[in-house]
Amino acid sequence: MTKTIQPAASHHVGGAPLEDTAGAEMPVIHPADGRVIATLHAATPAVIDRALESARAAQADWAARSGTERGRVLRRAADIMRDRNRALSEIETLDTGKPLQETLVADATSGADALEYFGGLAASLAGQHIPLGGGDWAYTVREPLGVCAGIGAWNYPTQIACWKAAPALACGNAMVFKPSEETPLSALEVAAILTEAGAPPGLFNVVQGAGEVGHALATDPRVAKVSLTGSVPTGRKVYAAAAEGLKHVTMELGGKSPLIVFDDAEIEDAVGGAILGNFYSTGQICSNGTRVFLHRAIRDRFLERLCARLEGVRTGDPLDESVNYGPMISARQLEIVQGYIAKGLEEGARLVTGGRRLQREGFWLEPTVFADVADDMTIAREEIFGPVMSVLDFDDEEEVVARANATAYGLSAGVFTRDMTRAHRVIGRLEAGTCYVNSYNDAPVEMPFGGVKASGVGRENGTAAIEHYSQLKSVYVRMGRVEAPY
Ligand code: NAD
């Protein structure tokens, strides 16, 4: 029997739950069995308006507080999140279908890291003193942008809410966040925790709904910045909508990242990296290394070890902590991924393992590996966003770098080799925003994360995120007289 979770209300606005049943019904489905675990309502224009107004009202006072005070609220929220990690992880598991084994270590904990990190930075945000000729000088002031809109994807709902809220709030902004309509529950928990930690009412609001609600936020003149985590097609639309109002943007979009394994690599580590970069969260991770380029000399050994280790996949109730592999998020996503598997077979890739839907309730798909994949096959070109690994062979470094870069995307890239000179030489030539040497998919909050090319604009995490949630005011100070020509 699936647990149900009925939150106090669909939205969190002005520091409290808010309901408006006039909004379209949004059933929340547990992906492991397809059952409805909650029913929410999409935000009506009235709810969106109230959220934006309360964000605007809260922002000026928040920005006027000292950074130390703002940081204290964020760090308190981080502590509460850690204390409630298990309960939050269970909600995340019910909402996303991701195994509790994963959510216990990768979701609320990662959100708490962001709140703690940016809470710690808040007091040190400052401008610059710039000495100029003749005794004049200038200074810069780092100012908040105002009200920011956050729009999330469904794969890491708690993490995405916190990766956006933490730097935004640290810089003195307020936020209206719209989670993905597939996974609306955990952002409500983040909002309640921030309120409990002392965030003023309206500082962080959550409104539910699909694309139209996101569009309403991206086009509202009260919004100064839009931060989206989503697919490239959505990114194009949201970027264009934000451009109309000349708003700031952060675009965390999709990818088709290369993971390159040279013939001197430590094979077990490379297999481990490829498993994390293709099957963790059932492959629903933007930075996944889904084009696995194997040096021809180690291809067979790698595939043999990969298949042996995939025997360790355990499916079942995702709340059972021994389960390490979950379902796809939705029937629709399952269908999309099955379509790609069919295309792979049709275009002549060799199915090494997997490929089938599991015959049970919910949206389950086997971890799938294709070998003998050619660069021009659909499965090697398009983001699948599911548990499908494409293995491509290569012979030399020059060739693999060129092939790895032959994509419109540029989110991530990984290199496995024991030759450190080669590792850094290759990484230096790969067109990707977030790279890994002898590892894959680590995302510590201290390290900037984001893409180049079609994979995105801006960076989350690290001190780099501060640049994307603040603006500089430059002030010229003349110490002498003003000389004018007339
Ligand atoms: P999606 O693009 O379908 O939706 C993302 C969000 O945008 C949702 O909240 C959706 O409601 C909203 N949206 C849709 N149309 C909109 C519009 N016209 N205006 C405003 N908002 C709109 O993405 P998804 O299916 O939820 O997530 C999967 C995608 O997200 C994949 O492409 C994945 O690579 C990407 N992703 C990227 C990152 C990253 O950090 N780079 C992280 C996770 C996921």
Side-chain angles (χ1 to χ4, degrees):
M1 177 70 184
T2 316
K3 278 192 184 174
T4 57
I5 321 169
Q6 191 60 48
S10 300
H11 320 287
H12 188 101
V13 172
L18 175 72
E19 191 54 89
D20 181 353
T21 52
E25 265 196 12
M26 291 171 50
V28 185
I29 291 167
H30 180 43
D33 59 15
R35 284 181 226 275
V36 175
I37 53 167
T39 303
L40 304 185
H41 293 270
T44 54
V47 166
I48 297 170
D49 185 61
R50 229 168 117 176
L52 287 167
E53 273 312 305
S54 55
R56 192 155 73 164
Q59 194 263 324
D61 168 59
W62 175 250
R65 295 190 191 188
S66 72
T68 305
E69 212 181 322
R70 291 199 302 271
R72 193 178 304 134
V73 171
L74 298 185
R75 284 183 289 106
R76 223 182 268 142
D79 290 343
I80 300 173
M81 281 190 86
R82 287 216 179 83
D83 287 348
R84 299 197 193 141
N85 183 39
R86 178 161 288 271
L88 294 169
S89 302
E90 284 179 5
I91 293 173
E92 195 80 317
T93 286
L94 287 167
D95 209 358
T96 62
K98 294 194 291 183
L100 189 60
Q101 194 190 95
E102 280 189 24
T103 54
L104 280 170
V105 297
D107 292 273
T109 53
S110 152
D113 283 354
L115 291 162
E116 184 173 11
Y117 176 82
F118 288 105
L121 277 185
S124 310
L125 302 178
Q128 233 187 336
H129 171 267
I130 306 158
L132 299 167
D136 291 358
W137 52 285
Y139 64 95
T140 59
V141 185
R142 188 166 287 285
E143 296 186 335
L145 303 173
V147 174
C148 301
I151 303 175
W154 40 255
N155 56 345
Y156 280 81
T158 307
Q159 182 188 83
I160 291 171
C162 293
W163 281 18
K164 297 189 189 309
L169 271 42
C171 290
N173 303 286
M175 179 167 269
V176 178
F177 183 79
K178 188 201 83 65
S180 163
E181 58 275 31
E182 303 282 1
T183 53
L185 298 178
S186 45
L188 293 169
E189 301 294 325
V190 173
I193 287 172
L194 278 163
T195 301
E196 189 179 332
L203 189 69
F204 180 75
N205 306 277
V206 174
V207 296
Q208 306 291 353
E212 320 81 71
V213 176
H215 183 73
L217 294 175
T219 48
D220 194 286
R222 287 167 287 189
V223 170
K225 188 221 161 92
V226 186
S227 175
L228 168 80
T229 298
S231 61
V232 172
T234 303
R236 282 188 216 286
K237 287 188 217 158
V238 177
Y239 201 175
E244 192 61 32
L246 291 171
K247 299 180 198 299
H248 296 253
V249 294
T250 297
M251 294 282 141
E252 291 290 353
L253 308 177
K256 190 73 197 175
S257 302
L259 192 167
I260 303 172
V261 185
F262 285 97
D263 51 353
D264 65 343
E266 172 55 64
I267 295 295
E268 285 307 320
D269 286 346
V271 169
I275 287 173
L276 292 173
N278 281 270
F279 304 124
Y280 199 72
S281 295
T282 318
Q284 303 163 113
I285 300 185
C286 51
S287 48
N288 271 355
T290 48
R291 287 183 295 145
V292 178
F293 287 96
L294 299 181
H295 189 280
R296 211 177 292 276
I298 47 102
R299 197 247 336 247
D300 293 344
R301 195 149 52 92
F302 181 102
L303 286 176
E304 192 187 306
R305 286 301 303 145
L306 175 66
C307 290
R309 286 178 60 174
L310 286 176
E311 298 288 322
V313 165
R314 295 279 169 272
T315 61
D317 180 354
L319 287 170
D320 171 349
E321 276 182 63
S322 67
V323 166
N324 58 19
Y325 182 85
M328 305 295 308
I329 187 70
S330 62
R332 179 166 167 268
Q333 190 63 20
L334 170 68
E335 210 177 289
I336 290 172
V337 178
Q338 283 180 301
Y340 278 111
I341 292 171
K343 266 258 183 285
L345 293 168
E346 197 183 300
E347 292 178 9
R350 171 166 64 93
L351 183 65
V352 175
T353 182
R356 285 168 309 187
R357 180 176 184 177
L358 300 188
Q359 290 313 309
R360 63 168 77 155
E361 289 178 312
F363 318 125
W364 296 83
L365 189 60
E366 290 176 332
T368 300
V369 178
F370 279 110
D372 303 339
V373 176
D375 296 9
D376 60 353
M377 289 181 186
T378 309
I379 56 168
R381 287 186 295 107
E382 296 183 13
E383 183 184 46
I384 298 175
F385 220 58
V388 182
M389 181 193 294
S390 291
V391 171
L392 305 99
D393 308 335
F394 75 94
D395 293 301
D396 76 69
E397 183 180 316
E398 200 60 29
E399 167 212 342
V400 78
V401 167
R403 290 169 62 199
N405 285 338
T407 168
Y409 294 107
L411 188 50
S412 298
V415 174
F416 277 86
T417 175
R418 287 197 181 88
D419 177 344
M420 279 298 121
T421 308
R422 170 157 65 189
H424 296 294
R425 184 173 62 228
V426 170
I427 288 288
R429 297 178 65 197
L430 291 175
E431 295 162 4
T434 311
C435 298
Y436 306 94
V437 173
N438 291 331
S439 191
Y440 207 83
N441 260 356
D442 314 75
V445 68
E446 298 87 346
M447 181 172 106
F449 179 86
V452 300
K453 294 158 76 178
S455 291
V457 178
R459 290 291 176 271
E460 295 194 307
N461 291 346
T463 52
I466 298 298
E467 304 291 330
H468 301 285
Y469 282 101
S470 60
Q471 57 197 350
L472 287 183
K473 175 179 280 171
S474 299
V475 183
Y476 187 106
V477 182
R478 183 175 294 281
M479 302 302 281
R481 304 299 307 271
V482 175
E483 281 180 31
Y486 48 85

